[in-house]
Amino acid sequence: MNRFFSGIVAVIFVLGAIGAASGSAQDRGVSKENAVGGAAGNAVEGKAVAQSAPAVNGSEVSDRAGTASAETKTEALRQSRLEKKADRTFIRGSHAKAMEINRRAEERLPEGSIEQKRLQRKMARLYTLLQRYDEAIECYDKVLGSAADTLLSVEDVCMYIDNLRLVGDFQRAESVARVFAFKNKYSRNQRYMNILYGLTSKQHYYGRGDADYMVRLYENSTSEPEYWVGSFEGEAFYAVSHSPLQDPLKVFYYRTQYLTYSDNRREVDRLRAIPRELQTGPVAFSPDGSMMVATGIDYSFNDQVRSLDQLRGLFPTQLFYSVIDAGRNGWGAFQPLFDYQEGYSYAHPAFTADGGSVIYSSDCPGGFGGMDLYICHWNDGERKWSEPVNLGKHVNTEGDEIYPLVWGNRLYFSSNGLEGFGGYDIYNIVLRGGAVLAGSISHYPYPVNTSGNDFGLRLDGGEVAYFVSDRRGLVGRDDIYTFNPSANSLSSDFSIGVSQQHSALTGNLGLINGMKGTNTLTADKVLFERPADGELLLSVYFDFDKHAISAEYREKLDGLLADRGANMLDAVAVVGYADELGGDNYNQRLSERRANAVADYLERGEFRPQMMVEGRGRQTLSPEERFDAMQAQGLGSVANPETGRYLSIVDRIRINSRLRRVDIYAKDLR
């Protein structure tokens, strides 16, 4: 524990060549050259670019042509030392002085060189951390307006656009977003596309007509980031950060203080026992108040803070738990939740309703990219937490999923990788037995979700819900807002979710038609009913003597897969039939093939209910059904309706079409 609580003054900030040479940057869809600061010889858009920054050990380096003179090498070494001086100054907390040194280093580099552009990119990222967005934009402009804009990763461009939004320049932000929209790596990135759609909506649709909810800004909001609302022993409190250094990805907040939500804004007494080093994010309490999980910055590297891809891992965080000590009437010693992957962040803990599990966010290896949601369980016998389990692709994306909250049977969280309005949006999904339910995800409408970053939802079971948003830009940074979650939205019939009407009004057509992604949201009703036992869900019809599913019925089955009520069922019966033409044995096998074809399609679509599959073989029409079918086909005057005698084989196939099907019924196993 001593190494954890060692001061940040002893930490050396590693950026540039050192961070890249360590090889610690995790690939999340962008090349390693996009790690903060870059490194000599990294690949840029698949092409090798030799840079004149010196190697970590200060050995000889070459210029881009590999023929640098001794004078050039000496200048590069001097530059490297100047940049390292800026790094040391930055980590000691003299941020303004550090950036002045970086400016001097920038001026000494050859104008327009790759080395200068790399430093400008680094400075843009640091200015973003310092919330000096105008200067960050200036540095991004220098890189963007040159042939070296390939140095910018998708995440760099997302931060650049977000900086323009935060200073209120929405028109330019949208213009920049459109410039990159036609490049493959951007058009395939959901976070980027969300930003583009959100800016379009902000410019042309948001604020027109009725809003879906009435949201209110917390009256005691300040210019400092108020980034989370919690409660303990029935009292609401919130977290505020007093540091000029802010993570643009909203993972950690330095120099946090927990204040009561009431007007007097006093510090929460029972939380004063939390060491300051563990006050860097949300705090979770078990339902019975006997256990707490807090977040702390990991200083275990002793001599460096890891600088990973796109500022990720700049200050890795860990989770620590404490159990109430009845004898002391206070919290016991804090212990790590489990063994961590060194250099990765673990943050935003939330207990499940029974207190036996914790869901949190992490960028540890093995996820889907960025920050993913994980769950771990308390083992009472061993008195420790289990190994974490990723919650899977129905909630996690290549982007970031943060700030989980379990309320009732639903998991609420924020994501910038699911389809939304731009930045982080707030979603929820059904949670059962520690697993999420496929197809049950929902998305809050405007103005809860906007083109800004909206996250940190907090429910209290009444008519007030809290969440955090940076929609005011520089005026408020991160602010707390409230709304009534029990009220239906004003412009649709649904209290949670994106209605088709609202999506059309906001121009977010991707949420209606889908964007053909793995996490496409539907725009159907989100408030749903569980089908009754025995209710017919769907009939799938087949061509004569065939068991292949037609395009028409594949589309209908896709609708069933997306039906949230159907996904709540314990089981369904999948029953196949064949018509009266042919022998009994053949038709029995044909009916089974049809039922299995439907079951296989549903299984590939990850249909949740258990499937009870059977084939019922050859079926015949009753006299009444035969008569109706013959009338419908214009055959009522040419054959005996009771036997179908004198009908041609073609006509018999036509009137038996209703028998060639598979029925899917709801089954209640309770």
Side-chain angles (χ1 to χ4, degrees):
M1 293 292 290
N2 289 335
R3 68 176 187 171
F4 175 82
F5 293 116
S6 62
I8 192 169
V9 174
V11 181
I12 298 178
F13 183 67
V14 176
L15 286 167
I18 296 177
S22 70
S24 60
Q26 183 186 19
D27 185 2
R28 292 193 177 87
V30 296
S31 63
K32 287 187 178 180
E33 71 83 21
N34 285 320
V36 175
N42 280 331
V44 179
E45 294 289 8
K47 299 179 181 178
V49 178
Q51 300 182 15
S52 63
V56 174
N57 60 9
S59 63
E60 182 175 281
V61 296
S62 64
D63 64 7
R64 279 176 288 174
T67 59
S69 64
E71 291 80 4
T72 302
K73 296 171 187 175
T74 302
E75 179 62 26
L77 182 59
R78 186 182 303 114
Q79 163 56 25
S80 177
R81 289 173 177 170
L82 190 59
E83 190 174 334
K84 288 178 181 178
K85 180 181 178 181
D87 292 344
R88 292 192 296 270
T89 305
F90 190 98
I91 202 61
R92 289 169 182 158
S94 299
H95 303 130
K97 184 177 179 181
M99 298 313 294
E100 289 175 5
I101 297 173
N102 274 324
R103 288 286 189 186
R104 295 208 310 269
E106 175 195 9
E107 292 171 357
R108 292 186 182 184
L109 286 169
E111 186 66 28
S113 66
I114 289 293
E115 297 80 15
Q116 188 185 57
K117 298 304 176 184
R118 177 197 58 77
L119 179 57
Q120 289 164 346
R121 179 189 62 182
K122 171 182 171 181
M123 292 169 63
R125 292 168 174 173
L126 293 177
Y127 279 132
T128 299
L129 277 172
L130 294 171
Q131 304 175 83
R132 292 166 61 175
Y133 300 117
D134 285 321
E135 290 155 298
I137 292 167
E138 177 189 349
C139 290
Y140 274 133
D141 282 340
K142 292 177 180 177
V143 181
L144 188 67
S146 69
D149 66 2
T150 52
L151 286 173
L152 298 180
S153 68
V154 175
E155 194 155 301
D156 272 309
V157 177
C158 287
M159 283 196 292
Y160 174 42
I161 296 170
D162 211 38
N163 291 343
L164 289 168
R165 176 186 64 82
L166 287 167
V167 300
D169 196 346
F170 289 97
Q171 187 170 356
R172 187 176 171 208
E174 182 183 351
S175 176
V176 172
R178 292 187 181 279
V179 167
F180 287 87
F182 298 102
K183 297 185 179 182
N184 283 340
K185 70 176 181 179
Y186 297 95
S187 63
R188 289 197 293 258
N189 185 283
Q190 189 62 61
R191 179 188 175 192
Y192 186 85
M193 297 309 293
N194 286 347
I195 289 174
L196 177 58
Y197 291 140
L199 288 169
T200 302
S201 297
K202 172 71 178 180
Q203 286 289 92
H204 305 293
Y205 299 100
Y206 288 166
R208 302 186 183 188
D210 292 332
D212 285 295
Y213 288 95
M214 179 69 71
V215 300
R216 292 181 174 84
L217 175 68
Y218 175 45
E219 59 184 8
N220 290 325
S221 293
T222 68
S223 60
E224 293 184 307
E226 293 109 3
Y227 65 87
W228 176 70
V229 177
S231 64
F232 182 66
E233 296 181 340
E235 184 175 32
F237 64 92
Y238 68 95
V240 59
S241 171
H242 300 300
S243 172
L245 197 69
Q246 299 298 329
D247 180 9
L249 296 176
K250 315 296 184 184
V251 175
F252 78 91
Y253 287 83
Y254 196 54
R255 292 178 57 195
T256 288
Q257 187 178 21
Y258 302 106
L259 303 175
T260 57
Y261 193 78
S262 56
D263 291 338
N264 56 11
R265 288 166 50 93
R266 58 178 174 78
E267 193 168 10
V268 181
D269 294 335
R270 292 297 293 270
L271 300 186
R272 289 179 179 174
I274 303 175
R276 284 295 180 188
E277 293 85 353
L278 292 180
Q279 297 185 25
T280 59
V283 181
F285 299 96
S286 61
D288 62 3
S290 65
M291 187 179 294
M292 169 176 54
V293 181
T295 308
I297 290 179
D298 178 14
Y299 298 133
S300 62
F301 303 115
N302 296 322
D303 64 343
Q304 62 178 324
V305 171
R306 291 291 176 88
S307 179
L308 302 180
D309 207 3
Q310 281 75 55
L311 298 179
R312 295 182 188 276
L314 182 62
F315 293 98
T317 56
Q318 293 185 359
L319 299 176
F320 293 79
Y321 77 97
S322 174
V323 178
I324 200 77
D325 187 333
R328 295 173 49 196
N329 192 29
W331 297 106
F334 284 87
Q335 306 175 60
L337 214 64
F338 41 71
D339 293 332
Y340 296 94
Q341 295 274 3
E342 187 177 89
Y344 297 94
S345 288
Y346 302 76
H348 311 156
F351 278 93
T352 55
D354 61 3
S357 304
V358 167
I359 297 176
Y360 64 91
S361 182
S362 176
D363 62 355
C364 62
F368 291 84
M371 301 290 289
D372 280 3
L373 297 184
Y374 291 79
I375 188 169
C376 61
H377 310 286
W378 175 254
N379 187 319
D380 206 37
E382 299 182 6
R383 305 297 296 171
K384 69 177 185 178
W385 291 93
S386 70
E387 289 297 311
V389 176
N390 190 292
L391 284 180
K393 67 180 181 180
H394 298 297
V395 61
N396 291 318
T397 69
E398 66 177 349
D400 300 288
E401 283 69 48
I402 60 173
Y403 282 86
L405 166 71
V406 179
W407 193 265
N409 70 335
R410 301 195 78 90
L411 168 65
Y412 296 82
F413 64 99
S414 292
S415 173
N416 61 19
L418 291 165
E419 290 183 25
F421 294 158
Y424 285 111
D425 275 9
I426 300 172
Y427 303 80
N428 67 74
I429 192 169
V430 173
L431 183 68
R432 281 186 168 182
V436 297
L437 180 60
S440 63
I441 197 166
S442 303
H443 171 272
Y444 273 99
Y446 175 83
V448 175
N449 285 321
T450 66
S451 60
N453 290 299
D454 308 295
F455 59 98
L457 181 72
R458 181 77 185 183
L459 301 172
D460 66 0
E463 296 185 350
V464 178
Y466 310 87
F467 70 99
V468 179
S469 178
D470 64 2
R471 64 190 62 186
R472 288 203 301 160
L474 293 179
V475 176
R477 269 73 176 189
D478 295 333
D479 291 316
I480 297 170
Y481 290 81
T482 62
F483 71 101
N484 183 353
S486 63
N488 286 337
S489 57
L490 303 179
S491 67
S492 75
D493 296 331
F494 322 128
S495 61
I496 299 176
V498 182
S499 66
Q500 282 192 348
Q501 298 96 316
H502 185 271
S503 294
L505 287 173
T506 59
N508 203 343
L509 301 181
L511 293 175
I512 299 177
N513 301 320
M515 298 170 72
K516 310 304 181 186
T518 56
N519 291 292
T520 298
L521 303 180
T522 65
D524 298 327
K525 287 186 178 180
V526 177
L527 298 182
F528 53 84
E529 295 181 359
R530 179 192 181 105
D533 185 35
E535 181 178 340
L536 178 64
L537 302 177
L538 180 66
S539 291
V540 178
Y541 291 91
F542 293 80
D543 292 334
F544 176 70
D545 199 27
K546 303 292 184 183
H547 65 275
I549 304 171
S550 68
E552 176 187 358
Y553 285 99
R554 286 198 300 270
E555 185 176 345
K556 292 181 183 294
L557 286 169
D558 289 342
L560 181 62
L561 287 169
D563 188 302
R564 293 160 188 163
N567 274 280
M568 295 292 290
L569 290 167
D570 300 311
V572 295
V574 182
V575 184
Y577 305 93
D579 62 21
E580 63 186 18
L581 303 174
D584 289 341
N585 290 338
Y586 180 86
N587 278 319
Q588 178 63 38
R589 293 193 299 271
L590 180 59
S591 68
E592 291 171 358
R593 288 197 297 269
R594 286 170 173 165
N596 284 322
V598 170
D600 289 345
Y601 190 91
L602 292 174
E603 187 175 27
R604 288 195 300 272
E606 299 185 353
F607 194 48
R608 180 189 173 280
Q610 174 186 343
M611 286 182 280
M612 305 165 67
V613 184
E614 64 173 310
R616 295 188 179 176
R618 182 176 183 268
Q619 306 293 308
T620 59
L621 296 170
S622 69
E624 292 79 14
E625 291 172 333
R626 189 183 304 276
F627 177 79
D628 291 338
M630 291 170 61
Q631 290 292 111
Q633 297 291 337
L635 303 173
S637 61
V638 299
N640 184 334
E642 293 189 6
T643 65
R645 190 175 299 172
Y646 307 123
L647 286 176
S648 69
I649 185 64
V650 174
D651 290 333
R652 291 178 67 189
I653 291 172
R654 289 164 61 192
I655 68 170
N656 279 277
S657 61
R658 63 181 300 177
L659 299 178
R660 298 188 291 272
R661 72 182 192 277
V662 169
D663 290 334
I664 306 173
Y665 295 97
K667 298 290 291 183
D668 192 344
L669 302 182
R670 293 177 298 179

